[in-house]
Amino acid sequence: MTSERSSSSLPAQAGRPGPGGPTTPYRMTVTTALPHTDALALADQCLATWLKQEWSEEPPPPGPAAGPGAGASPAERLRLGERVLLDRDGGPLDGAPSGGRYDRRRVTTPAPHGTDRLTLTVATGPAGPTWLRLEASTHTTGGGVRTPGRVPVPEVVRTLLPLLDAADGPAAVAAAPRVLTAAGVDRLVDELCDPDRRMPVVVASVPAGLGAGRWLADVVAPLCDQLPGLAGLYVLDADARTGFNVALEYHAVYGGAVRTYLPEVDPASRRDGRRHPVLARNRIEEDPRRAAALLAREPRRLAAERPLPPVLADVPVLRPARPAQAPAPAAPAVPVPAHGREERERAGHPARHELRRERHHERPKPKALPAGAAAGRAAGSGQGCLSGGRLCAVPGGAGAPAAPAAPARRAGWRRAGPSGGRGGVPLTFTELMARLGEFPLLTFTGDQKAALALDELRCAGGGWARLTWDGLTALQEYAEAAVRGQAGGDFKQWCERTPAGCHRFPPRKAVRGESRTVHSHAKWKRERMLPVPECVDASRRAFMGAHLRIGGGRTAPRLHYLDDCSGSGRIYVGYIGLHLTNTKTN
């Protein structure tokens, strides 16, 4: 087997996509044998279903679909809700012979730091197949905004691909990997060697002694979750693997490894075999999330750099029309009781009444309360945190700040700059604890008393508080990437390979867990069983061995936390204070 080639060893670049750079868009370009009108109707149906599910409003149906050779459709813009826009246009292709046509749909929806945009284009030339291109991108509203490394695969893609019978030249483009038997090996080899293929093809092997169905469900399907619409996906059973490796001896795959075959495979060239990267089984099982990100990197790059086919290149630039409100269904008239002056204004002075309503809606919203005040109000009202779509009460000691009530993906957060940003870097733990609400993906569940007591020691001036703030900032940035599957490992690995533009926390101060001695000592282990919401653990307690070193020496503070980004989508900080008991503090 050829040596593994991975882009993870490339040096970090300041302008690369990820938390420190622009978000890499998702781009899919496929063909279908369906006529233009049928493909467009399916696309409109999938978009309408998605909009109704995500934004509770379905757009009105477009006019009668026009086939190739028809005239231009008038551009229209529909406002489907607050900051949700749908643009629709269509017409003849620019510079193409008579008979070519395109139809386009663009959906703009709100995002935490700007807008998300999904553009779907169906185009057909005078001859040949119907082309469909879908691009999803994120547009931020200003500089210095933390963004995910990649736009995730839109759900519309997973729905649309099976309906279209999408293809890339001779290769089928499916939404999920398919098991291939020995009868399909010759066709797969032809697909890999076909010069018209534009997408990579990902082929997974099954380890000896394991069934192809089980390996597909447990390993390959999660591994390929970021690849629908970007690559052909196959799993070779035992018989197919043997025949495949005989036919492509310089491009073999076996032992549970997964190989990405780039376009223009030369089966007779040993040198060409080195072009097609291999992801070994041990790397997949060691860190499945990172392996999935590595596997998607090359298909994403090819999709972004590949030039458009001539038919799609002739699609003109979108010129949105003025927004029009989507017609709402007529509501039955309900008698409203009159109430004093408001009723008189509504009846005698409708313009004045509307002006009062506008002024009421334009009043500035009240400023957010400090974390401590918010905690008190939340405690009094029984407020909890919304975690992974579930409402969880956050247990904690006296004065523990409440978690943000809004989902983390909706929260706006900006890291404090050198001058502190929102309020400067805190120099005391009193100020630090009052500002924990500035980290939307971190929830403090412990007792503030241990942290506040550090201000009385004054052993390190404001250094301890500054270092704790640095650790919380790095944890927040890690959590933003982890909830989207872009962190590339745990927090320790994040500190060792901090992406460009992110806040760096010293790796030697990030500790994955406690020693075996602490685990085996009942009292010491009990000290580290710290509060968590019931949605994380039914006992409302969890062992928090992972911690940050805030200083050196026997009394050096520690910050203990639980990384639950893969579950509830948050990090729970259960303790900030002096070093808990171990062999060195006794």
Side-chain angles (χ1 to χ4, degrees):
M1 183 179 297
T2 59
S3 60
E4 179 177 342
R5 195 193 75 173
S6 173
S7 56
S8 61
S9 59
L10 295 176
Q13 298 177 6
R16 71 175 186 176
T23 302
T24 302
Y26 172 91
R27 294 188 177 103
M28 176 187 76
T29 306
V30 296
T31 61
T32 176
L34 295 176
H36 183 101
T37 52
D38 292 350
L40 180 62
L42 287 173
D44 281 332
Q45 178 184 350
C46 291
L47 277 179
T49 303
W50 171 72
L51 284 167
K52 187 174 182 179
Q53 290 175 348
E54 294 292 326
W55 304 100
S56 302
E57 190 162 352
E58 185 175 353
S73 302
E76 60 177 341
R77 165 168 282 192
L78 298 173
R79 190 180 299 277
L80 304 180
E82 185 179 0
R83 296 175 60 198
V84 179
L85 299 174
L86 171 62
D87 293 296
R88 295 192 290 216
D89 73 325
L93 298 172
D94 285 346
S98 60
R101 178 177 177 82
Y102 79 95
D103 283 277
R104 175 168 43 203
R105 311 290 186 251
R106 174 173 291 174
V107 180
T108 304
T109 55
H113 302 294
T115 57
D116 289 335
R117 182 178 293 168
L118 186 145
T119 306
L120 190 150
T121 306
V122 179
T124 307
T130 300
W131 288 86
L132 185 140
R133 178 173 173 85
L134 188 146
E135 179 174 354
S137 56
T138 296
H139 301 264
T140 57
T141 55
V145 175
R146 321 307 309 163
T147 58
R150 300 184 183 96
V151 174
V153 179
E155 287 302 317
V156 176
V157 171
R158 305 180 194 274
T159 307
L160 193 56
L161 283 176
L163 300 176
L164 292 174
D165 291 332
D168 170 44
V173 181
R178 294 171 296 167
V179 176
L180 205 66
T181 62
V185 169
D186 289 342
R187 181 177 178 180
L188 175 58
V189 173
D190 290 341
E191 289 180 4
L192 296 181
C193 301
D194 195 293
D196 293 332
R197 179 169 64 90
R198 295 162 52 90
M199 287 184 183
V201 173
V202 174
V203 179
S205 60
V206 180
L210 292 181
R214 179 182 175 185
W215 185 250
L216 169 62
D218 295 345
V219 177
V220 180
L223 185 69
C224 297
D225 186 63
Q226 302 178 35
L227 292 177
L230 300 174
L233 307 173
Y234 297 96
V235 180
L236 302 175
D237 67 9
D239 294 335
R241 183 189 68 238
T242 301
F244 181 85
N245 290 337
V246 170
L248 295 176
E249 59 176 323
Y250 300 133
H251 303 74
V253 59
Y254 51 84
V258 176
R259 190 160 196 172
T260 302
Y261 293 90
L262 304 178
E264 301 179 6
V265 171
D266 183 355
S269 171
R270 184 189 298 271
R271 176 176 295 181
D272 180 72
R274 302 171 187 168
R275 287 197 309 120
H276 311 283
V278 177
L279 192 59
R281 177 186 178 184
N282 63 327
R283 295 205 64 183
I284 297 171
E285 296 179 329
E286 178 184 352
D287 192 340
R289 182 183 297 176
R290 177 169 175 76
L294 288 174
L295 188 64
R297 184 173 296 176
E298 196 69 6
R300 288 266 184 168
R301 182 189 66 82
L302 290 175
E305 297 177 357
R306 186 185 307 124
L308 288 174
V311 173
L312 288 169
D314 289 334
V315 173
V317 177
L318 175 63
R319 292 178 174 84
R322 291 185 177 182
Q325 192 74 25
V334 179
V336 180
H339 293 290
R341 184 176 65 180
E342 182 178 356
E343 168 60 17
R344 291 195 300 271
E345 287 188 358
R346 185 183 292 113
H349 303 281
R352 183 185 304 172
H353 176 70
E354 291 300 321
L355 180 60
R356 286 172 53 117
R357 289 182 55 191
E358 292 176 5
R359 287 176 177 173
H360 172 75
H361 289 295
E362 290 174 358
R363 288 176 185 170
K365 296 181 180 180
K367 294 182 179 179
L369 295 173
R377 178 171 295 185
S381 61
Q383 181 179 344
C385 74
L386 187 62
S387 177
R390 298 166 289 178
L391 185 63
C392 310
V394 181
R409 66 184 180 91
R410 297 283 186 187
W413 179 82
R414 179 170 57 87
R415 175 168 62 89
S419 61
R422 291 186 175 184
V425 176
L427 301 181
T428 66
F429 283 92
T430 301
E431 181 186 357
L432 183 146
M433 299 305 291
R435 293 173 55 189
L436 284 178
E438 296 182 18
F439 302 101
L441 295 184
L442 309 185
T443 299
F444 183 74
T445 62
D447 193 335
Q448 290 197 20
K449 294 179 181 178
L452 299 179
L454 296 175
D455 286 338
E456 301 176 4
L457 297 178
R458 300 187 182 279
C459 298
W464 283 353
R466 282 195 297 267
L467 188 57
T468 304
W469 186 263
D470 290 344
L472 293 169
T473 303
L475 281 171
Q476 166 68 27
E477 293 178 339
Y478 160 77
E480 289 179 342
V483 295
R484 296 174 173 88
Q486 309 295 334
D490 59 12
F491 182 65
K492 175 77 171 180
Q493 293 170 302
W494 175 271
C495 294
E496 292 171 347
R497 300 185 297 270
T498 305
C502 287
H503 191 89
R504 187 179 183 277
F505 188 77
R508 60 186 178 84
K509 292 186 176 293
V511 183
R512 286 194 174 97
E514 296 286 9
S515 64
R516 184 177 302 177
T517 304
V518 171
H519 277 275
S520 59
H521 197 290
K523 181 181 177 181
W524 298 351
K525 183 177 180 179
R526 190 163 53 248
E527 288 183 3
R528 292 157 176 83
M529 294 294 295
L530 297 167
V532 293
E534 188 176 5
C535 61
V536 177
D537 194 289
S539 67
R540 296 179 180 269
R541 293 271 168 176
F543 182 77
M544 297 191 187
H547 60 273
L548 308 183
R549 295 171 177 161
I550 307 303
R554 293 177 56 185
T555 61
R558 295 290 188 267
L559 183 153
H560 286 259
Y561 68 93
L562 175 70
D563 181 358
D564 195 44
C565 290
S566 61
S568 61
R570 305 185 70 82
I571 291 177
Y572 299 94
V573 179
Y575 177 82
I576 301 176
L578 290 178
H579 200 309
L580 295 173
T581 310
N582 65 5
T583 55
K584 296 181 180 180
T585 58
N586 282 347

